[in-house]
């Protein structure tokens, strides 16, 4: 092992064979480098005499460049077997942070590119990466690393779980690209809801997701200028919910509009059973003395005499 | 049975007559194991464990009770059915099959200790005074493995002395050879799960077309058996009315109403954990497109007005025939509210439904 000084223009810092972190926040690292300098130098290998390759420390190199540094110390280790280098690199990273799904994806992609077989990865690397030792999982990560940069960014930023990433795989690239600006503004749960609903509507109506996206855009056409993507994302989500659950949404809206029609007082809360699965309705109100109680009771009595009240009750027997 | 690739025999089960009968039929060298852990190791690492499990047969001893009251589902109305868990899992591969998430052992298990089964049947046969319904089709298909196990024949023999016990053998297959060969018992009902042909084709992998199932039912009726039909799960799709209507029409044209013991209807429902499995194994399944809500039991169920609409429509198809108006219909795992909406207002209880269905027709 030896430490040398290397110019940041050295080709060692262009060879990305071992690089796996592409998406990361720079601010904290910048502050740290400014305050304390480079405590842990990046390390790498000497492939041929004088030809170095950076293995670990990509973030530090990127930030050092940003800060305008010209040269940094570089630790050269005596190891040439790619698989062993990867094991060291992964172990080192795991010692000070949790590897994200995106990190694992790039690790696997790069290993495969170096010619390390799936079988070797399955046997020697999967457990280190804490992923099931199955070819199917290796393919999952490979696929993830192949996604377009914007999608990977959202996956990393939102720390999306495997299930949602698989949902994203099901979409074509243009579809994902159309969706990403909205997904960026939604929570994990809402992203899942949007992706599932869109997929299920497409399957049910025998359409492509792209067609559903275009139809929504056309509907929103007159508000094209709307810059507020967060609001647009919410609208898109609502739109999909209505399309996915038309009967439930219509029933719910009908219930609401009926309450309006019969002037249901807001101070008396009325709730149907969850998803109208039962016939019962529940009312609740507050009172602090008997007069208030009488007042509420008389309001309910008046409401019960309204002819339209019958329509609130769910579920009718068939005509005999 | 050439879909079976490997057969394991748990050592304790080896000497049972049923084990020997199955091994003679199979012509596969069995692997004798001390327990099912070794079977689990065999399939560990498979990409699709469920698919692989359907090709592995395990002959074992049941240490639990064979017969249990049907668990139905919490909150909804049951029908007092008893289930016999003699075989677990099924070689067919329906997208909506609950067993995919229910069984923690994904292989086909045949419990060979039929002596214990016979004892339990005798216990229930003496315990229950009135008529009661009992069947094997809860954790598998009653006849899918019958050519191999000949279980139907053994069961019929065991039920011979208990005429008030109505044995239902429920299937999606056309494996009726053995049924046709044996003497018909009045307390044995052969039942078929039916669906719209399009759904069967799309969602019930490995099962024969619905028309073939009904033609098998016709054969069984000719032999003298009573039959039953389960339109379960009803699935909402673009042409559902036409699809189910055609099946009902074909059924009524081929099966005399007097020979129908009961017909049940049940809309698609499943526990939430099944969704991810369906999505993975059957990404184009229509089960993923239903207008689901979370039911009172926590399961996904089709939104109530849609369920009611399907039930009413299928019932209406049957009501077109005067003869079929007399057939007993029931709803599987439904609430009293839905029963009332579909069948008319009445106070209903599990006991009442049980008596109504078990009472003999003729
Ligand atoms: S026939 Fe029944 S048990 Fe067999 S796979 Fe289909 S649903 Fe499951």
């Amino acid at each position: 092992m030896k430490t040398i000084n290397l110019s940041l223009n050295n080709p060692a810092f262009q060879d990305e064979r071992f690089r796996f972190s592409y998406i990361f926040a720079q601010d904290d690292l910048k502050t740290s480098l400014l305050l304390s300098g480079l405590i842990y130098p990046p390390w790498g290998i000497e492939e041929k005499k004088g030809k170095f390759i950076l293995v670990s420390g990509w973030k530090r190199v990127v930030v050092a460049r940003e800060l305008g540094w010209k040269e940094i110390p570089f630790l050269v280790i005596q190891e040439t077997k790619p698989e062993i280098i990867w094991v060291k690199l992964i172990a080192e990273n795991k010692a000070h942070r949790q590897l994200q799904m995106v990190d694992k994806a790039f690790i696997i992609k790069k290993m495969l590119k170096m010619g390390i077989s799936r079988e070797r990865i399955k046997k020697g690397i999967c457990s280190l990466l804490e992923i099931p030792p199955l070819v199917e999982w290796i393919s999952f990560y490979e696929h993830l690393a192949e996604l377009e940069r914007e999608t990977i960014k959202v996956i990393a930023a939102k720390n999306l779980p495997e299930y949602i990433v698989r949902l994203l795989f099901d979409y074509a690239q243009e579809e994902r690209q159309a969706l990403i600006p909205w997904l960026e503004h939604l929570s994990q749960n809402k992203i899942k809801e949007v992706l599932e609903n869109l997929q299920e509507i497409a399957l049910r109506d025998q359409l492509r997701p792209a067609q559903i996206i275009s139809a929504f855009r056309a509907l929103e056409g007159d508000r094209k200028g709307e810059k507020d993507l967060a609001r647009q994302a919410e609208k898109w989500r609502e739109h999909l919910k209505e399309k996915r659950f038309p009967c439930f949404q219509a029933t719910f809206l009908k219930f609401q509009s009926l309450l309006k029609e019969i002037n249901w007082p807001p101070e008396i809360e009325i709730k149907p059973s969850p998803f109208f699965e039962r016939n019962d309705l529940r009312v609740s109100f507050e009172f602090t003395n008997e007069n208030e109680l009488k007042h509420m009771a008389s309001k309910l009595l008046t409401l019960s005499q309204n002819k339209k009240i019958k329509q609130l009750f769910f579920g009718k027997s068939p005509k005999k | 049975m050439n879909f079976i690739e490997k057969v394991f025999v748990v050592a304790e089960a080896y000497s049972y007559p049923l084990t020997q009968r199955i091994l003679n039929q199979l012509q596969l060298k069995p692997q004798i194991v001390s327990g099912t852990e070794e079977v689990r190791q065999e399939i560990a690492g498979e990409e699709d464990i469920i698919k692989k499990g359907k090709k592995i047969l395990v002959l074992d001893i049941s240490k639990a009770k064979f017969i249990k009251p049907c668990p139905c589902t919490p909150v909804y109305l049951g029908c007092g059915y008893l289930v016999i868990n003699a075989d677990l899992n099924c070689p067919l591969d329906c997208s909506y099959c609950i067993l995919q998430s229910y069984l923690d052992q994904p292989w086909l298990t045949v419990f060979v200790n039929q002596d214990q089964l016979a004892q339990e049947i005798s216990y229930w046969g003496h315990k229950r005074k009135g008529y009661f319904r009992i069947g094997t089709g809860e954790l598998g298909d009653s006849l899918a493995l019958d050519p191999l196990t000949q279980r139907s024949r053994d069961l019929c023999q065991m039920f011979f002395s208990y005429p008030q016990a109505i044995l239902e053998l429920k299937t999606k297959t056309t494996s009726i050879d053995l049924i046709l060969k044996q003497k018909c018992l009045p307390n044995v009902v052969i039942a078929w799960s039916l669906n719209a042909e399009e759904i069967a084709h799309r969602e019930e992998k490995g099962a024969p077309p619905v028309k073939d199932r009904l033609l098998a039912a016709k054969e069984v009726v000719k032999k003298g058996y009573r039959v039953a039909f389960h339109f379960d799960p009803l699935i909402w799709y673009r042409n559902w009315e036409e699809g189910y209507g055609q099946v009902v029409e074909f059924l009524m044209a081929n099966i005399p109403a007097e020979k129908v013991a009961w017909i049940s209807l049940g809309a698609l429902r499943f526990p939430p954990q099944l969704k991810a499995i369906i999505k993975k194994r059957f990404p184009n399944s229509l089960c993923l497109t239903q207008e689901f809500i979370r039911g009172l039991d926590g399961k996904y169920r089709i939104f109530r007005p849609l369920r009611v609409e399907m039930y009413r429509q299928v019932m209406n198809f049957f009501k077109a025939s005067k003869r079929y108006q007399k057939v007993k219909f029931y709803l599987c795992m439904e609430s009293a509210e839905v029963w009332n909406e579909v069948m008319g207002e009445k106070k209903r209880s599990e006991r009442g439904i049980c008596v109504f269905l078990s009472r003999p027709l003729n």
Side-chain angles (χ1 to χ4, degrees), chain A residues 136 244 248 279 316 318, chain B residues 47 290-291 304 312 341:
Chain A
E136 196 257 339
R244 178 66 186 85
F248 174 73
N279 287 348
K316 292 181 189 70
Chain B
E47 303 292 347
Q290 304 299 296
E291 204 170 325
R304 182 173 148 194
R312 282 184 179 160
E341 273 191 89

Side-chain angles (χ1 to χ4, degrees), chain B residues 4 18 30 34 36 146-147 163 172 202 221 266 284 300 314 337 339:
Chain B
I4 294 176
L18 181 52
S34 56
T36 49
D146 208 41
K172 279 192 184 101
R202 207 171 156 152
V221 165
N284 292 322
Y300 285 133
V314 175
E337 280 94 337
W339 270 82

Side-chain angles (χ1 to χ4, degrees), chain A residues 109-174:
Chain A
K109 179 183 170 178
K110 298 273 166 109
M111 290 182 90
L112 287 167
K113 210 169 162 198
M114 281 182 189
I116 301 171
S117 72
R118 285 182 171 72
E119 211 43 44
R120 291 293 321 144
I121 295 176
K122 208 169 100 175
K123 289 213 174 93
I125 305 293
C126 282
S127 64
L128 202 58
L129 292 178
E130 291 161 37
I131 61 180
L134 293 170
V135 173
E136 196 257 339
W137 274 90
I138 296 172
S139 309
F140 165 81
Y141 281 101
E142 214 185 331
H143 193 162
L144 167 48
E146 293 302 332
L147 292 178
E148 50 296 337
R149 195 50 62 93
E150 312 86 74
T151 306
I152 292 180
K153 257 188 183 167
V154 172
I155 293 171
K158 301 265 172 187
N159 199 10
L160 296 183
E162 175 229 338
Y163 179 77
I164 300 184
V165 175
R166 285 191 194 272
L167 283 173
L168 282 165
F169 287 175
D170 293 338
Y171 288 94
Q173 184 178 338
E174 329 71 82

Side-chain angles (χ1 to χ4, degrees), chain B residues 230-278:
Chain B
H230 300 277
F231 284 83
D232 199 343
L234 292 173
I235 293 179
W236 186 281
Y237 69 104
R238 206 179 274 260
N239 298 320
W240 68 268
E241 283 179 276
E242 204 185 327
Y244 287 107
Q246 282 165 356
V247 173
V248 173
E249 202 176 310
F250 191 77
L251 186 159
M252 293 197 298
N254 285 281
I255 312 291
E258 312 73 66
K259 298 301 278 182
V260 179
W262 53 77
I263 293 176
S264 82
L265 309 178
L268 181 65
R269 63 221 169 263
F270 55 75
Q273 62 269 28
L274 188 61
K275 185 173 175 184
I277 300 177
I278 300 179

Side-chain angles (χ1 to χ4, degrees), chain B residues 65-131:
Chain B
K65 290 244 178 296
F66 274 102
I67 301 179
K68 293 176 190 138
C70 175
C72 189
T73 192
V75 199
Y76 294 85
L77 275 179
C79 63
Y81 199 79
L82 289 177
V83 293
I84 305 175
N85 298 331
D87 303 326
L88 306 183
N89 211 345
C90 169
L92 309 183
D93 202 7
C94 304
S95 59
Y96 51 75
C97 181
I98 174 99
L99 301 181
Q100 298 174 97
S101 69
Y102 185 76
L103 295 177
D104 64 340
Q105 303 190 329
W107 47 86
L108 305 166
T109 302
V110 172
F111 291 122
V112 294
N113 47 332
Q114 298 212 87
D115 46 345
Q116 188 198 320
L117 174 58
Q119 275 173 25
E120 287 184 36
I121 290 171
S122 155
Y123 166 81
W124 284 96
H126 287 102
K127 185 180 165 182
R128 288 259 177 122
K129 295 291 169 253
Y131 286 96

Side-chain angles (χ1 to χ4, degrees), chain A residues 74-254:
Chain A
F74 183 80
L75 195 68
V76 186
I77 64 155
Q78 306 299 317
E79 183 59 69
T80 46
K81 277 203 182 127
E83 198 176 327
I84 297 176
I85 298 170
W86 274 110
V87 170
K88 279 183 199 270
L89 176 60
I90 296 167
E92 183 203 61
N93 272 273
K94 276 179 69 182
H96 60 83
R97 70 182 180 111
Q98 210 182 355
L99 289 179
Q100 299 294 309
M101 200 184 266
V102 170
D103 296 324
K104 296 177 187 178
F106 281 107
I107 290 173
I108 286 177
K109 179 183 170 178
K110 298 273 166 109
M111 290 182 90
L112 287 167
K113 210 169 162 198
M114 281 182 189
I116 301 171
S117 72
R118 285 182 171 72
E119 211 43 44
R120 291 293 321 144
I121 295 176
K122 208 169 100 175
K123 289 213 174 93
I125 305 293
C126 282
S127 64
L128 202 58
L129 292 178
E130 291 161 37
I131 61 180
L134 293 170
V135 173
E136 196 257 339
W137 274 90
I138 296 172
S139 309
F140 165 81
Y141 281 101
E142 214 185 331
H143 193 162
L144 167 48
E146 293 302 332
L147 292 178
E148 50 296 337
R149 195 50 62 93
E150 312 86 74
T151 306
I152 292 180
K153 257 188 183 167
V154 172
I155 293 171
K158 301 265 172 187
N159 199 10
L160 296 183
E162 175 229 338
Y163 179 77
I164 300 184
V165 175
R166 285 191 194 272
L167 283 173
L168 282 165
F169 287 175
D170 293 338
Y171 288 94
Q173 184 178 338
E174 329 71 82
E175 290 167 346
R176 274 194 304 266
Q177 277 165 337
L179 289 168
I180 287 296
W182 290 326
L183 300 188
E184 270 174 333
H185 296 277
L186 296 173
S187 67
Q188 239 188 46
N189 275 345
K190 289 182 179 176
I191 292 176
K192 174 173 171 273
E193 180 195 307
V194 161
L195 294 176
E196 280 187 335
N197 283 348
L198 177 56
Q199 197 176 53
E200 291 163 6
I201 296 165
L203 183 60
R204 181 193 63 199
D205 299 346
Q206 292 163 28
L207 293 167
R208 280 181 297 109
Q211 291 173 290
I212 300 167
I213 299 170
S214 307
F216 172 72
R217 288 224 167 108
L219 205 73
E220 293 286 295
D222 47 343
R223 280 175 292 229
K224 234 184 192 149
E226 190 166 348
K227 284 279 174 294
D228 187 348
L229 278 171
R231 259 190 62 193
Q232 237 185 55
E234 270 307 325
K235 266 192 206 156
W236 167 238
R237 185 174 82 91
E238 283 302 325
H239 172 79
L240 288 178
K241 236 163 72 176
E242 268 167 43
K243 283 207 149 281
R244 178 66 186 85
F245 301 100
C247 185
F248 174 73
Q249 294 288 341
T251 308
F252 186 71
L253 287 178
K254 198 175 148 203

